[in-house]
Amino acid sequence: MPNQQRPGRITVPAIRAMKGRAKIVSLTAYTAPVAALLDPHVDVLLVGDSVGMVVHGLPTPTAVTLEMMILHGQAVVRGSSRALVVIDLPFGSFEASPEQAFTSSVRVMQETGCQAVKIEAGEALAPTIAFLVQRGVPVMGHVGLRPQAVHIDGGFKAKGRTADERTRVLAEARAADEAGCFAIVVEGVAESLAAEITASVAAPTIGIGASSVCDGQILVSDDMLGMFERTPKFVRRYADIRSSVTAAAAQYAADVRAASFPGEAEVYRFKPQD
């Protein structure tokens, strides 16, 4: 049974009420053990479609399926008890119609126990967001650099570098806000545009590569923990897990090859009966 109603879990209204009062702390999570470690420290755990690239080695998030998001969402909900859990609707699961988006959202919420879904909110999706909110589905928006649009954009490119693009991103954010998003992720935009968006919408903004002027921040946990060789410009590394894992694996391999593992402490011995 999904762990939907654990007492003490942060709620959607509580996140919305943090606008202008306290910074919202968010990180991605894809597994129960990592969710359990992050849970005491964050307000929002996002099961992002970045799971496709981070965990499954896919080149873009567009190949991620609804079933993948549900599987990882179940793990994160089981591993956490405090943070609000939000799950991305993956590419192809919501664009066709508001009804398709509602069907996908119901599956995600019922099968995982999460409290909200996230939609990459191009201006055309505002009616879909409103349709969901009016039917009891809390929605987090996502504007600026939208990873699911990677093939249209020709790569993961920062947004708002031209006047026309700034106008479009600002319009996306306002449309998502007016449609009822309780929070909006703002990704890959200049600080001045992030400030304008944050001042223009009632929903709190959660930045990633959008400066500290947003109402909160989110990072991909594996980037923040130093799991990958390359670190994006907007990421600050708080650990070097890659080096730790490499060193541990090398030491394990050396111990096995030297027949020093397993040793006496790791071996079972026959105990004769009296």
Side-chain angles (χ1 to χ4, degrees):
M1 189 74 178
N3 191 8
Q4 200 162 6
Q5 300 297 331
R6 279 190 183 178
R9 198 181 276 279
I10 295 170
T11 65
V12 163
I15 294 297
R16 188 173 181 89
M18 292 175 74
K19 173 83 173 182
R21 297 182 180 181
K23 293 290 189 180
I24 300 166
V25 180
S26 311
L27 284 168
T28 63
Y30 317 111
T31 66
V34 170
L37 291 172
L38 302 180
D39 188 53
H41 308 288
V42 303
D43 305 305
V44 177
L45 285 171
L46 172 65
V47 187
D49 59 3
S50 50
V51 67
M53 302 171 73
V54 173
V55 176
H56 297 279
L58 298 171
T60 75
T62 57
V64 172
T65 65
L66 196 63
E67 286 70 27
M68 289 167 67
M69 297 307 304
I70 289 171
L71 182 65
H72 288 281
Q74 289 169 338
V76 170
V77 171
R78 284 194 295 264
S80 61
S81 62
R82 176 183 174 276
L84 180 84
V85 178
V86 181
I87 299 179
D88 265 337
L89 291 188
F91 180 71
S93 70
F94 63 92
E95 297 92 339
S97 67
E99 290 78 12
Q100 182 203 28
F102 182 69
T103 298
S104 297
S105 299
V106 169
R107 272 202 67 192
V108 167
M109 295 186 74
Q110 287 185 340
E111 294 182 34
T112 69
C114 74
Q115 292 106 309
V117 300
K118 182 167 78 66
I119 287 180
E120 291 195 7
E123 204 171 351
L125 269 297
T128 293
I129 293 169
F131 186 90
L132 296 179
V133 173
Q134 290 162 9
R135 286 157 180 77
V137 178
V139 178
M140 177 180 283
H142 185 143
V143 302
L145 191 165
R146 293 188 283 116
Q148 291 178 10
V150 61
H151 296 302
I152 290 289
D153 293 338
F156 299 100
K157 299 178 179 179
K159 296 297 179 182
R161 295 177 186 241
T162 67
D164 286 347
E165 204 170 61
R166 286 178 67 93
T167 299
R168 180 175 60 76
V169 173
L170 184 59
E172 289 175 351
R174 287 172 171 163
D177 186 51
E178 292 168 4
C181 286
F182 72 91
I184 302 171
V185 171
V186 180
E187 180 170 359
V189 304
E191 183 176 44
S192 59
L193 178 55
E196 188 174 4
I197 292 170
T198 299
S200 299
V201 298
T205 57
I206 301 176
I208 176 168
S211 87
S212 62
V213 299
C214 295
D215 296 302
Q217 296 294 320
I218 186 166
L219 285 176
V220 172
S221 296
D222 297 69
D223 286 337
M224 182 270 290
L225 293 171
M227 278 292 290
F228 300 111
E229 187 173 2
R230 178 184 171 275
T231 301
K233 172 182 172 60
F234 55 83
V235 173
R236 180 181 297 177
R237 283 194 181 190
Y238 287 86
D240 188 10
I241 300 299
R242 178 185 176 88
S243 294
S244 297
V245 171
T246 299
Q251 185 60 58
Y252 167 73
D255 290 350
V256 170
R257 290 174 180 131
S260 63
F261 176 82
E264 185 62 32
E266 296 95 14
V267 174
Y268 295 103
R269 299 295 183 188
F270 175 70
K271 293 183 179 179
Q273 298 294 320
D274 293 336

